[in-house]
Amino acid sequence: MEKICILGMGYIGMPTACMLANNGYEVLGVEVNDKIIDKLNSGELHINEPDLDKIFLKAYKNKKIRISTKVEKSDVYIIAVQTPLNIQKKADLNYVMNAANMIKDFIHKGNLIILESTCPPGTTRDIVGNIIERGTLFKAGIDYFLSFCPERVLPGNIVYELVNNDRIIGGINKESAERAAKIYKSFVKGKIYLTSLEVAEFVKLAENTFRDVNVAFSNELALICEEYKINVWEVIRFANMHPRVNILNPGPGVGGHCIPVDPWFILENIDIKDTLIEKCRNINDSMPLKIVMRTVYILKDYKNPKVTIFGLSYKENVDDTRESPAFIIINELTEKGINVSAYDPMVVNFEYLLSDMEEALRDSDLLLLFVGHHKFKEISLEKIAELMRNKNIFDTRNFYDKSCVEKLGFKYYLI
Ligand code: SAJ
């Protein structure tokens, strides 16, 4: 049985490890965080994602997956570590480099290395390839095989998309891409397309940048519509009825560890100034402050106002708060002397400000809906009205029905 070593047991590495472990491979997951290792080795997950528990427990009970701090001699190595943005808005490739350095000591002829971490074009060849070749004198494509295979799964639907999405696989040569494709074919039902390393790296960045640019367009439409006093949600709904138009939704900002990060990776090594991509990034980054300004305006006539934020995660129905624009909004409102409390039924690991629902709403002057978790629909508007001091709702996601809310005496503000 082939042995696969996956470095990084996060949102991508962990589900991928489970899939491979349940589809004919012996899997070793490598993780540096001791707490995560202890949890996983006792059969407990550290990630909340639909169906992930089922596939993890299957692999765990069948003893097809082990977690360790150390790399071991394997046939295939998959790097799925994080690539955060540093303060210069460039990719921090330290985790990728550490992973490549760990693999270098174990690699032998005929092995395959796959990079899954999102990174600037050229990283697989120039960073991973160079580290391996400097350490071993092996040549990529001849002595060992080198591939880039970007993950494309949507948080909140990872397990389903891991199986059903198409995959783009880049190789330093054809054999590298083909060998990587064989591994993914063990569990992927979508189509698999082969290409070069750099095209695969760029495709991943282009996908997330496209989404960022599209959201920026809708945010700009929202700001323009506000001046015209036109409902942007209605505009987008009708425009999207055109067969070739698909505008995304405006919102309080773009969060998560992918969409606000990846467009900067595209721009990292280029000389072109004044790009559309950068402008769109800046529009999306400006949204949290726009929300703060509008909130302050809504509350201008109240003494010692209290705001209740519903939702802290970066998007609906997930517990992930990474790069959530809610942080900026909370900090800015607090700095302006506004009393802020927050409720999020999805988020458990967030000590700062988290209140239960009643406590968050009691004597509040404004409910600021930041993300539209399904669970918020279970809270009746009557209950909300009963608890609040003044009945105002600022809905940044078009989540509530205006007429229902207004019937109960709320003043309803929409992005
Ligand atoms: N957002 C809006 N309006 C929208 C859609 C999203 O404001 O209409 C905001 C969300 O609220 C959130 C942010 O954008 O703050 C990002 O959310 P998302 O659902 O667009 O994306 P992610 O970050 O959860 O996942 C993306 C996906 N990429 C694409 O759809 C092109 C996913 O497929 C990738 O695998 C993932 O990035 C990743 O890991 O790169």
Side-chain angles (χ1 to χ4, degrees):
M1 186 188 286
E2 268 195 303
K3 180 167 166 183
I4 300 185
C5 173
I6 304 192
L7 294 91
M9 286 291 98
Y11 281 81
I12 302 305
M14 184 69 221
T16 306
C18 295
M19 285 293 171
L20 292 166
N22 291 332
N23 285 284
Y25 294 97
E26 181 196 338
V27 175
L28 174 74
V30 176
E31 176 54 58
V32 288
N33 185 325
D34 286 335
K35 276 193 195 146
I36 296 179
I37 297 174
D38 290 347
K39 261 194 144 177
L40 291 173
N41 278 333
S42 56
E44 249 185 276
L45 266 180
H46 60 297
I47 296 168
N48 187 4
E49 186 63 39
D51 293 331
L52 186 57
D53 51 346
K54 285 187 205 127
I55 60 167
F56 171 62
L57 279 179
K58 184 174 171 198
Y60 178 80
K61 283 186 182 147
N62 291 334
K63 297 195 169 33
K64 297 289 184 215
I65 189 166
R66 278 186 304 122
I67 316 292
S68 164
T69 46
K70 293 198 173 67
V71 172
E72 291 172 14
K73 198 170 173 212
S74 306
D75 302 293
V76 179
Y77 300 89
I78 299 179
I79 302 175
V81 295
Q82 51 176 321
T83 45
L85 199 65
N86 65 22
I87 37 170
Q88 284 88 35
K89 297 213 185 296
K90 291 195 183 288
D92 173 355
L93 295 175
N94 279 312
Y95 298 93
V96 172
M97 291 194 275
N98 286 345
N101 273 308
M102 283 164 94
I103 294 168
K104 177 191 79 193
D105 299 331
F106 292 90
I107 193 162
H108 54 276
K109 284 205 174 189
N111 280 175
L112 166 67
I113 299 180
I114 301 170
L115 178 63
E116 277 218 23
S117 315
T118 307
C119 52
T123 304
T124 316
R125 188 187 300 268
D126 300 337
I127 307 281
V128 178
N130 271 348
I131 289 174
I132 302 298
E133 284 168 34
R134 259 191 281 122
T136 58
L137 300 177
F138 283 179
K139 265 267 54 43
I142 300 166
D143 302 304
Y144 77 103
F145 302 94
L146 184 59
S147 164
F148 179 78
C149 180
E151 58 83 12
R152 305 167 104 188
V153 289
L154 191 72
N157 199 25
I158 288 181
V159 174
Y160 175 84
E161 293 205 357
L162 209 49
V163 173
N164 292 290
N165 286 3
D166 293 347
R167 303 253 352 192
I168 310 298
I169 299 187
I172 200 156
N173 60 354
K174 198 165 169 256
E175 197 175 346
S176 294
E178 281 169 352
R179 282 182 181 242
K182 188 174 159 260
I183 306 288
Y184 289 99
K185 271 184 192 150
S186 69
F187 67 88
V188 170
K189 289 188 187 148
K191 292 199 183 79
I192 293 183
Y193 299 95
L194 307 188
T195 181
S196 67
L197 290 177
E198 286 75 13
V199 167
E201 290 168 331
F202 208 96
V203 166
K204 169 71 199 181
L205 300 178
E207 290 166 358
N208 279 355
T209 302
F210 170 76
R211 200 157 168 84
D212 197 44
V213 169
N214 195 335
V215 175
F217 176 65
S218 71
N219 279 332
E220 188 159 272
L221 285 184
L223 298 173
I224 295 169
C225 281
E226 219 155 270
E227 300 232 341
Y228 278 109
K229 302 208 176 341
I230 291 172
N231 181 322
V232 71
W233 302 90
E234 229 181 315
V235 169
I236 291 174
R237 185 162 66 89
F238 287 129
N240 282 350
M241 288 174 185
H242 186 287
R244 283 173 298 282
V245 174
N246 184 15
I247 307 169
L248 288 171
N249 292 319
V254 168
H257 53 290
C258 307
I259 308 262
V261 170
D262 298 355
W264 296 115
F265 290 3
I266 285 198
L267 300 175
E268 187 163 318
N269 294 313
I270 60 156
D271 277 335
I272 305 165
K273 300 267 170 301
D274 225 14
T275 57
L276 171 77
I277 294 173
E278 183 169 355
K279 285 196 175 122
C280 290
R281 256 312 42 251
N282 292 335
I283 290 173
N284 288 337
D285 276 350
S286 74
M287 289 312 287
L289 289 184
K290 299 251 160 52
I291 299 298
V292 169
M293 278 156 59
R294 181 113 187 255
T295 303
V296 170
Y297 184 76
I298 295 169
L299 294 170
K300 66 182 186 324
D301 297 327
Y302 297 118
K303 260 203 176 146
N304 302 323
K306 173 177 171 182
V307 172
T308 306
I309 298 190
F310 262 20
L312 294 163
S313 54
Y314 79 93
K315 67 172 188 178
E316 69 286 355
N317 306 319
V318 299
D319 63 352
D320 192 342
T321 55
R322 282 179 293 175
E323 314 294 329
S324 172
F327 290 109
I328 302 175
I329 293 175
I330 291 170
N331 283 338
E332 288 291 322
L333 289 175
T334 311
E335 259 183 34
K336 292 189 182 338
I338 293 172
N339 178 7
V340 182
S341 64
Y343 170 62
D344 192 315
M346 301 290 297
V347 173
V348 273
N349 293 323
F350 189 89
E351 275 133 50
Y352 175 60
L353 265 173
L354 211 51
S355 311
D356 67 31
M357 190 265 287
E358 294 208 358
E359 186 188 323
L361 284 167
R362 188 162 294 114
D363 296 329
S364 177
D365 299 294
L366 174 70
L367 169 57
L368 171 55
L369 183 111
F370 180 72
V371 286
H373 293 319
H374 291 327
K375 288 190 176 170
F376 288 141
K377 288 272 185 216
E378 292 163 16
I379 307 170
S380 79
L381 286 165
E382 285 81 1
K383 175 91 190 159
I384 295 175
E386 208 178 279
L387 287 163
M388 289 179 73
R389 177 167 50 199
N390 284 294
K391 290 189 265 178
N392 294 298
I393 293 182
F394 181 9
D395 183 352
T396 67
R397 302 282 184 174
N398 198 23
F399 182 76
Y400 289 113
D401 183 303
K402 185 174 188 276
S403 59
C404 291
V405 171
E406 286 181 342
K407 235 187 250 162
L408 288 166
F410 281 98
K411 267 193 134 178
Y412 183 64
Y413 304 88
L414 189 58
I415 242 181

